[in-house]
Each structure stands twice: as C-alpha cells, then as structure tokens.
Amino acid sequence: METSEAVDDYLKAILELGGAEDSRVTTNALAERLGVRTPSVTGMLQKLASQHPALVRYERYRGVRLTANGKRRAWELVRHHRLIELFLHDVLKYSWDEVHEEAERLEHFISERFEDRVAAILGDPEVDPHGHAIPPKHEAGPYRAEVPLVAWPLHKPAVISSVSDRNAVALRELERLGLMPGVALTVEQSTPAAFAVRVQARSSPVRLGNDLAGYIQVAATDRRP
Amino acid sequence: METSEAVDDYLKAILELGGAEDSRVTTNALAERLGVRTPSVTGMLQKLASQHPALVRYERYRGVRLTANGKRRAWELVRHHRLIELFLHDVLKYSWDEVHEEAERLEHFISERFEDRVAAILGDPEVDPHGHAIPPKHEAGPYRAEVPLVAWPLHKPAVISSVSDRNAVALRELERLGLMPGVALTVEQSTPAAFAVRVQARSSPVRLGNDLAGYIQVAATDRRP
DNA sequence: CATATTGTTTAGTGTCAGCTAAATTTCTAG
DNA sequence: CTAGAAATTTAGCTGACACTAAACAATATG
C-alpha cells in the first residue's frame, strides 16, 4: 500500500481543488493544476481508484472525491509542503518567492523524522510564509473563512490572510507593493480589470490588476477584545 | 543534457568504486553497490555512454571509467550527500546512524541554492559526521591517505579517519565501542576472523569481528608540530 | 428538444529503468 | 593451451506514467 510520488501529487491537487470540502473535482481541473493532459488524469484516477479504493471515490464522467483516508494523506502532504516552506524561509533564509518550487520537490522525499525535527526546530508553527495554516500532525487543515480579494465588498475593512505561493513573479510584485499576510486594507474601487486598495499606513491607494489581485485571500478584520 | 536520478546514482557509485582514481569499474561491482541486477547495469551504462558521452567512457566487457566531466558531476553529488548528512546531524539532530538513508534520498532533489545555504549555515564545513571529506564546491574530493583498518600493521599508531556510513546497525555498534573518527588506536592482534585494538583512553582492548573492522578506515597519526 | 460545444474516456504509443533466461566473452586452472 | 567457471551482454518483458488521436457523454443554446 505504498503511495508513489505521482499519486501524492494527485491527492494533494484534489484536496486543494475542493476535495477539502468533499466536493467533486473534475478531470479538467486536475489536468490544469498538474500540468498534464486530461487522458493522463483519467488513467491515473482509474488506477488510483482501483489500487487505492481507500483513498478516493471515482465515478466515470463525474469526477473524484477524497475519502477520509485520502484526506488524511493529502493533508499530511500539505503539512510537509508548508513546513518545508517555512523552514526554507526561516532557517535557510530563502526569500518569499523562492520557497514554493523547492518545497514542491522535497515534500515527497522527507521522512517522518525530518518532518518532526523541522517542526520542533520551528516551534510547532501554525502558519507558513504565505499565510497558509500548517495543519497539525495527523489532522486536517483548520477551516478558515477566507475570501478572494476580488470578491470582497467595497470599503469593508479586511486583512490579507494568505497569498498563493504558486507564482514567484506575482509574489515578488506583491511584496514590492506591501501586500503580505497580516496587512490591513480596504477596497476603494474595483473595475472588471483592475483594483484600487487602500493599505493601512500607506498614503496613496495601491492599484493592481485582477491577475495580481487573484492571488490574494482576505478575511474580516478580527476585533475580538 | 539533463541528468536523471538514476544516472546520478550510477555516477556516484562509479566514483566511489574507484572512478576517483580513474580505474575501471565493473558491471558486477556496480550491480552489487546499487542493489540491481547486472543486465540492468549493462543497459544503463550503454545508455549513459551513448547519451552522455561527455560523462563516462564505456567499453563492452571491460567496465566504465569517468571522464573529467563525469567526475566533476559525481563529486558534486558526493558533496550534496555529505553536506546533507552533516546538516541532518548538526541542525536537525539526527543521530550518526540515521543520516545516510535520508541523505541518499534527498541529495537528488536539492537545488544549488539549498546546497549553498546549508554550506553557509554550517560554516563551509570540511568533514561529514563519519569523517569523510566534503569536497569544496566545483572541486574533486581531496586525496587522503586512508587505509582499511584490516590492512593496518600491528602496533603502529593510527587514527580513525572515517567510517562507512552505509550500514546503520554497524554504526550503532561502532559508536557503542567508541570507534569514531579522530580516535587514536593501535592494532594489538589480528586473526583471519577478528581483531583486537587498543583504543586510547580505554583500559582493555576492544575486540571486533572482521565485518565491523571492515567499516573503518585509518591513517597514520599526524605529528606535525 | 435537437444539435453544437465542451468535457471525458478509450485506444494505441513511447520512454524509463528495472527484471529473467539465454547467449557470449573473458578469465583461470589444470 | 584448453576446458570450465565467472562475468558480461543480448533478447524479450513488465510496470509506471506520460502523450496524441479519436470516440463518446453531458451540457448548454437556439
């Protein structure tokens, strides 16, 4: 019952494309995310379903979903990924935009021991450098009420909760603009193509295209006393 | 001109089996070392020779040797391996016998950047936890006058220069016996099957089987003033 | 509600790196 | 210097996991 590198990639992708909420994930979406053609996805899903029925539920023409086991395994990989990202950033002094690619490669090959030691060194951290929650060992990621910035109402105060780690160029740009997790902002203006957000402690509003804005997730400002 | 994980393994194995001194390495020896059948080795060598003629020189029935390029690449991998071992030991607090297996997996997947950062954190170290020299970046490993303990003359003072990292069980045993790099000793007695060595700062001689002794390399005591 | 478009699956290939069985070459001992 | 043993290579397969082209479902629109 080993699980190969490729299988791992599929499980993680399914999780990140909606499997976390038990929704069906389509062949197309997977192909897109994994940078692979759709027939390859079909083939892999069939194999996955027949060889690891405990991990996924697959129905012809209707997509896949993860079983409880499948979710556990996928969250484990996400934990690996995010721990490695934080480790690269904090210990090996990688910059924000450099960590994803390396983590993506390494996450498949580290042992339990490596995971544990890294977590210990980092003090059992809860958030990675992009603001994503690091799920505790053996647990699913916590639910967090994130909303894409592009769907946030005008003028309502928000905090950037996370940014996607998948595009290094975009990350560099976001950093330059001061748009990082924890930063408070309000949306001043939004057109189909662009955005103006007012960032706390910045005199003039920041303008950014929809493409960039798409990488940002926000949440309501937390005002517990 | 990419070089795959498997190719890397072959290059490193060739180096470690004598390629470092330009001697021919046999199909058999490679198969043994890599845990693979001989026909697989033949196949791989043929492919290697035809696709990467700049790395190896292969002659049917007469083994392989590394070219200058091949050696450079192989030493790079050795550097990776040893840096990772030291890193796991010093930073992640792995024990002596745990580092090899993990390093063996990770060495293929780390980037230049990872290598550089780790080297920096460790202060450009020169020796790994088993006493093996870490070759400087872009250079071949230094020549070191090591001799297998089993070939060392009786009563002549020696220092353990390195121990093989490839057998975790043996490593634990050696640690228990206090036989680690840097330890001074003399061989008191040797039979075809066993050994008695007197270790500095130990009252009674240590007895060890030829199998264990085979993992130890020694050098003449250095007495530069 | 029939057809066009989109999404998904089947069929057939290719590459990589391993394997076994059998043929061949080289080495070694008498 | 030749027979037998040992080492190496060839031939032919296997299992992953990708791909293209073509068939087939599902959905969306006029």
Side-chain angles (χ1 to χ4, degrees):
Chain A
M1 288 293 155
E2 273 301 289
T3 135
S4 77
E5 183 183 348
V7 166
D8 285 351
D9 282 336
Y10 277 82
L11 292 176
K12 188 152 76 89
I14 296 168
L15 185 84
E16 288 168 352
L17 289 172
E21 293 87 31
D22 289 319
S23 45
R24 293 193 296 103
V25 174
T26 69
T27 304
N28 244 0
L30 279 171
E32 158 92 50
R33 158 73 59 131
L34 293 169
V36 137
R37 302 297 193 156
T38 46
S40 309
V41 173
T42 300
M44 196 65 200
L45 290 181
Q46 289 172 341
K47 183 189 163 185
L48 200 45
S50 85
Q51 291 184 6
H52 303 277
L55 297 178
V56 298
R57 192 102 347 189
Y58 167 63
E59 278 176 282
R60 242 153 110 269
Y61 290 107
R62 1 200 69 260
V64 243
R65 38 182 33 129
L66 295 172
T67 64
N69 275 331
K71 258 194 277 189
R72 194 166 326 122
R73 178 83 187 106
W75 277 117
E76 194 180 327
L77 292 162
V78 170
R79 175 174 162 82
H80 280 191
H81 183 90
R82 294 180 181 170
L83 272 176
I84 294 173
E85 284 199 346
L86 187 62
F87 172 76
L88 294 173
H89 186 263
D90 286 11
V91 179
L92 297 191
K93 305 304 177 195
Y94 276 51
S95 69
W96 215 28
D97 55 303
E98 294 168 339
V99 299
H100 175 71
E101 192 194 346
E102 186 107 33
E104 193 75 7
R105 250 179 301 116
L106 295 183
E107 63 184 1
H108 300 292
F109 308 108
I110 68 169
S111 63
E112 282 296 295
R113 181 178 288 125
F114 192 102
E115 175 194 328
D116 294 346
R117 295 290 204 284
V118 164
I121 279 195
L122 297 171
D124 289 310
E126 300 185 345
V127 195
D128 81 7
H130 309 99
H132 295 118
I134 298 174
K137 194 157 179 161
H138 302 135
E139 285 180 38
Y143 170 75
R144 304 203 306 174
E146 287 186 326
V147 177
L149 175 61
V150 297
W152 193 256
L154 288 181
H155 306 300
K156 181 173 176 188
V159 184
I160 297 181
S161 60
S162 70
V163 301
S164 165
D165 59 354
R166 317 187 89 248
N167 182 330
V169 176
L171 276 179
R172 277 194 288 279
E173 190 60 12
L174 291 178
E175 184 168 37
R176 201 178 62 75
L177 297 170
L179 299 174
M180 301 156 79
V183 170
L185 56 76
T186 55
V187 178
E188 299 275 292
Q189 204 187 87
S190 87
T191 75
F195 257 78
V197 303
R198 175 164 296 278
V199 176
Q200 209 174 44
R202 279 224 166 193
S203 46
S204 49
V206 176
R207 309 203 111 265
L208 64 165
N210 248 326
D211 48 337
L212 261 194
Y215 289 110
I216 302 175
Q217 301 271 321
V218 299
T221 303
D222 198 338
R223 61 179 81 74
R224 281 170 278 183
Chain B
M1 290 293 156
E2 273 301 289
T3 134
S4 79
E5 183 182 348
V7 166
D8 285 352
D9 281 336
Y10 277 83
L11 292 177
K12 188 151 76 89
I14 296 168
L15 185 83
E16 288 168 351
L17 289 172
E21 294 86 32
D22 289 320
S23 46
R24 292 193 295 105
V25 173
T26 70
T27 305
N28 243 1
L30 279 170
E32 159 92 50
R33 157 75 57 133
L34 294 168
V36 137
R37 301 298 194 158
T38 47
S40 309
V41 172
T42 300
M44 196 65 202
L45 290 182
Q46 289 172 341
K47 185 186 162 186
L48 199 46
S50 85
Q51 291 185 5
H52 303 278
L55 296 179
V56 298
R57 192 104 346 191
Y58 167 63
E59 278 175 283
R60 242 151 113 269
Y61 291 106
R62 2 199 71 258
V64 242
R65 37 179 37 127
L66 295 172
T67 65
N69 274 332
K71 258 193 276 188
R72 193 167 325 122
R73 177 86 187 104
W75 277 117
E76 193 180 329
L77 292 163
V78 170
R79 175 173 163 84
H80 280 191
H81 182 90
R82 295 180 180 170
L83 272 175
I84 294 173
E85 284 199 348
L86 187 62
F87 171 77
L88 294 173
H89 186 264
D90 285 11
V91 178
L92 298 191
K93 305 305 176 194
Y94 277 51
S95 69
W96 214 29
D97 54 304
E98 293 168 340
V99 299
H100 174 71
E101 192 194 344
E102 187 105 32
E104 193 74 8
R105 249 179 303 114
L106 295 182
E107 63 185 2
H108 300 293
F109 308 108
I110 69 169
S111 63
E112 281 296 297
R113 181 178 287 126
F114 192 102
E115 175 195 327
D116 295 345
R117 296 290 205 285
V118 164
I121 279 194
L122 297 173
D124 290 310
E126 300 186 347
V127 195
D128 80 8
H130 308 100
H132 296 118
I134 299 174
K137 192 157 181 161
H138 302 135
E139 286 181 35
Y143 170 74
R144 303 203 307 173
E146 286 187 328
V147 177
L149 175 59
V150 296
W152 193 256
L154 289 181
H155 306 299
K156 181 174 177 188
V159 185
I160 298 182
S161 60
S162 71
V163 301
S164 165
D165 60 353
R166 315 188 89 249
N167 183 329
V169 175
L171 275 180
R172 278 193 288 279
E173 191 59 12
L174 290 178
E175 184 168 37
R176 200 178 63 73
L177 297 170
L179 299 173
M180 301 156 77
V183 169
L185 56 75
T186 56
V187 178
E188 298 274 292
Q189 204 186 87
S190 87
T191 76
F195 257 76
V197 303
R198 176 165 296 279
V199 175
Q200 208 173 46
R202 279 223 166 194
S203 47
S204 50
V206 177
R207 308 204 111 263
L208 65 165
N210 249 325
D211 49 336
L212 261 193
Y215 288 111
I216 303 176
Q217 301 271 322
V218 299
T221 303
D222 197 340
R223 60 179 82 76
R224 279 171 279 183

